[in-house]
Amino acid sequence: PTGVGKTTTLAKIAANYVLNQKKAVGLITADTYRIAAVEQLKTYAEILGIPLSVAYTAQEIGEAVSLHSDKDIVLIDTAGRSHRNKSQFEELKTLIMASHADEVYLVLSATTSIRNCKEILNSYSFLTNYKLIFTKMDEAPVQGIILNVKYFTGKSLSYITTGQNVPDDIETADITKITKNLIGSTG
């Protein structure tokens, strides 16, 4: 979906692989719609010293993936799509298929209402095999949405983000920690 922090989250994941795991990373952006999206990711790529490719079409996604075939991991940023704009989904489906991605992540904001989340999940139902990332945990008054979405989808939680700082404000999702935070912990 739009506005959930996909590009910043991708930069955090890339930074973790480069700085902490010493992996060779390549970045691809297909977010050529949002003003300054390419520049934002280009800045992160330059700071991290990793290559960035820009793909305007599904064919270019495949070419960019091939270009980064010497990398340990290639991360692809897609443009956000409104869950109410069905026509944009065909393009997104084509991009995902052309990437031959090993993993796909649906990035959701922890501030999204359950009603909107259900609409989003229904709209993105063309994604059959994906993992969940929740952003904006620092802005969410409660974290129940995470457990609800995990229950509704049956998908794995991968990461949560807790602020804007790259690379710091991201962590592997810990369902026990989230549950304790939700119900309160005595110890």
Side-chain angles (χ1 to χ4, degrees):
T2 59
V4 297
K6 290 177 300 301
T7 302
T8 302
T9 300
L10 185 104
K12 292 173 185 178
I13 293 169
N16 177 55
Y17 277 112
V18 171
L19 302 173
N20 299 330
Q21 298 185 34
K22 308 300 182 203
K23 299 288 185 184
V25 175
L27 295 178
I28 301 170
T29 183
D31 186 357
T32 56
Y33 298 94
R34 187 170 54 90
I35 295 173
V38 173
E39 289 303 314
Q40 179 185 4
L41 203 53
K42 184 178 179 182
T43 300
Y44 289 127
E46 288 173 358
I47 292 168
L48 294 169
I50 57 178
L52 170 68
S53 300
V54 179
Y56 293 93
T57 66
Q59 179 180 341
E60 289 178 3
I61 286 273
E63 292 167 2
V65 169
S66 293
L67 182 68
H68 296 294
S69 64
D70 62 330
K71 303 297 182 257
D72 297 318
I73 188 164
V74 178
L75 300 170
I76 303 171
D77 189 24
T78 60
R81 296 293 185 222
S82 168
H83 62 281
R84 295 185 175 190
N85 189 334
K86 306 295 184 216
S87 65
Q88 293 177 339
F89 282 83
E90 288 306 314
E91 180 184 354
L92 185 59
K93 286 182 202 177
T94 303
L95 287 172
I96 291 170
M97 289 176 54
S99 74
H100 301 287
D102 294 326
E103 294 181 346
V104 174
Y105 294 85
L106 181 59
V107 182
L108 299 167
S109 170
T111 63
T112 306
S113 72
I114 191 63
R115 182 177 176 183
N116 283 346
C117 240
K118 284 181 178 181
E119 282 185 37
I120 290 166
L121 293 171
N122 285 335
S123 296
Y124 281 88
S125 63
F126 68 89
L127 296 173
T128 56
N129 187 20
Y130 61 90
K131 296 179 181 178
L132 297 164
I133 296 176
F134 278 90
T135 61
K136 304 184 182 187
M137 294 293 289
D138 55 313
E139 298 176 23
V142 294
Q143 297 179 359
I145 191 72
I146 297 170
L147 299 179
N148 286 329
V149 169
K150 175 154 180 33
Y151 173 77
F152 292 141
T153 65
K155 303 302 181 189
S156 298
L157 296 173
S158 56
Y159 298 102
I160 60 169
T161 70
T162 56
Q164 294 294 311
N165 295 322
V166 176
D168 299 325
D169 293 339
I170 189 167
E171 58 189 69
T172 302
D174 179 341
I175 195 74
T176 302
K177 183 178 174 182
I178 294 166
T179 304
K180 284 181 179 180
N181 186 304
L182 182 64
I183 61 174
S185 176
T186 59

